[in-house]
Amino acid sequence: MIPEGLDRRPIRELVGELVKNNFNCVRLTYAIYMWTRHGNRIVNDTLNDLDLPEVVNGISKFNPSVLKMTHIEAFDAVVDEIGSQNVKVLFDNHVSEPKWCCDDDDENGFFHDRHFDPREWIHGLTLAAKHFHENHAVVAMSLRNELHGPRQNQRDWYKYMSKGALAIHETNPNVLVVISGLNYDTELQFLKKKPMNIDLGKKMVYETHLYSWSGIGTLKLKEIWTKQPLNRICGNSIEGLDERAGFLTTGENAVPLIFSEFGFDQSGSTIEDNRFLTCLQTYLVGRDLDWGLWAFHGGYYLREDKVHLDESFGVVDATWHSLRYTNFTHKFQLLQRKNQGKQEAIILPN
């Protein structure tokens, strides 16, 4: 419920690092409970309750005013600075209960799970949409990150995703409404037979995710990228992507699609990751899809009971001052240059 890195550098410098690395939009994640249960909680009180003196001291040094803010006010401060540097925000509902995502048994993955009450979820989406109605930096809102778990079913997906999308649109008709699929946001193929029958006034956008281990068109093994010839494994992956999500961008009823999350271990690029990225970047450039990279941040205040846990998939390293993967700029310059300048692209780090 607090954007990462405020204990490492001033907000202005954190956003400046995004700009320096040619990102033009942040997929900023949040928890529903921040709006429905903890909106009036003070940041300093939360951090003290979690026994995080290191984080308190860091924020006190670099962003002292944040400690006296509520969680929502802290998000406001970050979003305002992002907007002031001409970067946009995709406000992403990542979870309901504020915790690391995701596991099939986390009770946070699908409607009617312990921490996924549909009414509270819609209420939280509505509060967020209303709150940022006049903030022009927020150009999009997602319904939910990576639906998952044993309760998944298409009936509830259509029912509640439609209600959530309409709740956002009716509250804030200016933002794009980003809709995720099933199975960790890798499956949207059921829309071929039954499209969503709702009117969002040309604000409807779908999203999909992919990692080297996702198993789209392949086995769910990262090692598969070195076990088969690249042209074969890449061809199978692209075929799977088009079958599950890419089809949305073609035909008479085409709709926008954002590749809102992919990533790789930036601490030491592996052969598997290099092959996966080569394939995926070819796909994204060829279809001119806007994309989001997990992740930008160098680490976490607290993740799974570990303080200052490193994020090996982060663009910046644990110091938040340097690139983790020294070849990052070269690796991504074609993809960024392709989108920027041709259109108002949404490039989403997280």
Side-chain angles (χ1 to χ4, degrees):
M1 298 189 294
I2 312 169
E4 305 289 352
L6 302 183
D7 60 337
R8 298 296 192 175
R9 299 178 71 177
I11 296 176
R12 176 179 53 81
E13 292 184 9
L14 292 173
V15 178
E17 200 71 30
L18 284 163
V19 175
K20 184 176 74 175
N21 286 285
N22 299 316
F23 291 105
N24 65 7
C25 187
V26 180
R27 180 171 171 250
L28 190 63
T29 65
Y30 73 93
I32 286 293
Y33 288 0
M34 182 180 77
W35 297 93
T36 61
R37 303 187 185 189
H38 306 301
N40 294 321
R41 285 280 294 173
I42 302 300
V43 169
N44 189 62
D45 293 343
T46 298
L47 295 175
N48 284 330
D49 287 348
L50 292 170
D51 192 21
L52 296 174
E54 312 96 318
V55 177
V56 172
N57 291 337
I59 296 178
S60 179
K61 177 180 179 180
F62 294 109
N63 298 285
S65 62
V66 169
L67 290 174
K68 297 180 180 180
M69 295 179 180
T70 66
H71 289 285
I72 292 173
E73 289 170 342
F75 266 81
D76 283 338
V78 172
V79 171
D80 288 345
E81 182 59 40
I82 290 172
S84 73
Q85 296 195 40
N86 199 31
V87 177
K88 303 302 181 185
V89 173
L90 190 169
F91 207 47
D92 169 57
N93 172 221
H94 217 65
V95 288
S96 290
E97 181 189 22
K99 63 186 296 186
W100 172 249
C101 175
C102 306
D103 292 303
D104 278 342
D105 60 355
D106 60 16
E107 300 182 310
N108 217 3
F110 200 73
F111 305 109
H112 300 296
D113 277 356
R114 180 183 178 187
H115 294 291
F116 203 161
D117 176 74
R119 291 174 296 179
E120 185 172 8
W121 171 70
I122 291 172
H123 182 48
L125 293 178
T126 302
L127 290 173
K130 182 179 180 180
H131 184 82
F132 289 110
H133 185 272
E134 300 299 328
N135 194 317
H136 299 298
V138 179
V139 296
M141 291 184 61
S142 75
L143 295 182
R144 187 71 164 207
N145 170 69
E146 296 192 351
L147 295 166
H148 59 277
R151 292 185 188 273
Q152 291 181 97
N153 66 85
Q154 292 181 22
R155 183 192 63 185
D156 283 345
W157 185 91
Y158 280 103
K159 177 180 179 179
Y160 294 117
M161 295 299 266
S162 295
K163 288 184 176 181
L166 288 169
I168 290 176
H169 183 65
E170 290 168 0
T171 305
N172 186 353
N174 299 316
V175 296
L176 300 173
V177 180
V178 183
I179 302 170
S180 60
L182 296 171
N183 194 20
Y184 293 90
D185 203 6
T186 62
E187 297 183 1
L188 288 161
Q189 65 269 31
F190 48 86
L191 291 168
K192 293 178 183 178
K193 294 182 179 180
K194 184 182 177 183
M196 288 190 80
N197 187 26
I198 57 176
D199 182 9
L200 300 182
K202 295 186 178 180
K203 298 295 185 180
M204 179 187 290
V205 180
Y206 289 98
E207 64 174 325
T208 191
H209 294 177
L210 187 72
Y211 288 89
S212 58
W213 60 82
S214 297
I216 306 305
T218 69
L219 297 176
K220 287 190 174 183
L221 293 172
K222 181 176 180 178
E223 293 75 18
I224 197 72
W225 289 91
T226 55
K227 300 297 183 182
Q228 295 183 6
L230 180 57
N231 61 343
R232 181 191 301 171
I233 191 68
C234 185
N236 290 341
S237 294
I238 288 175
E239 184 178 343
L241 278 171
D242 281 337
E243 169 66 22
R244 296 194 186 199
F247 71 91
L248 289 164
T249 66
T250 63
E252 294 182 2
N253 299 314
V255 291
L257 175 70
I258 297 176
F259 216 104
S260 59
E261 187 178 315
F262 71 96
F264 65 103
D265 186 344
Q266 300 198 33
S267 61
S269 188
T270 65
I271 296 175
E272 291 90 349
D273 278 336
N274 272 326
R275 290 189 167 200
F276 166 71
L277 284 171
T278 297
C279 177
L280 181 57
Q281 287 178 314
T282 300
Y283 180 83
L284 295 174
V285 170
R287 286 159 175 75
D288 198 26
L289 289 175
D290 294 331
W291 52 273
L293 179 67
W294 184 276
F296 189 80
H297 51 279
Y300 301 86
Y301 304 122
L302 180 70
R303 172 178 155 183
E304 299 172 296
D305 297 324
K306 296 180 177 66
V307 179
H308 281 155
L309 184 68
D310 191 35
E311 174 52 89
S312 62
F313 279 47
V315 172
V316 293
D317 64 13
T319 70
W320 290 73
H321 281 269
S322 303
L323 290 175
R324 185 180 299 268
Y325 178 42
T326 56
N327 201 34
F328 179 85
T329 302
H330 174 74
K331 193 79 172 178
F332 281 81
Q333 63 180 351
L334 175 61
L335 194 53
Q336 289 178 322
R337 187 171 66 241
K338 172 75 173 181
N339 281 338
Q340 294 172 359
K342 284 197 64 178
Q343 57 186 347
E344 292 183 359
I346 303 175
I347 300 177
L348 316 164
N350 185 54

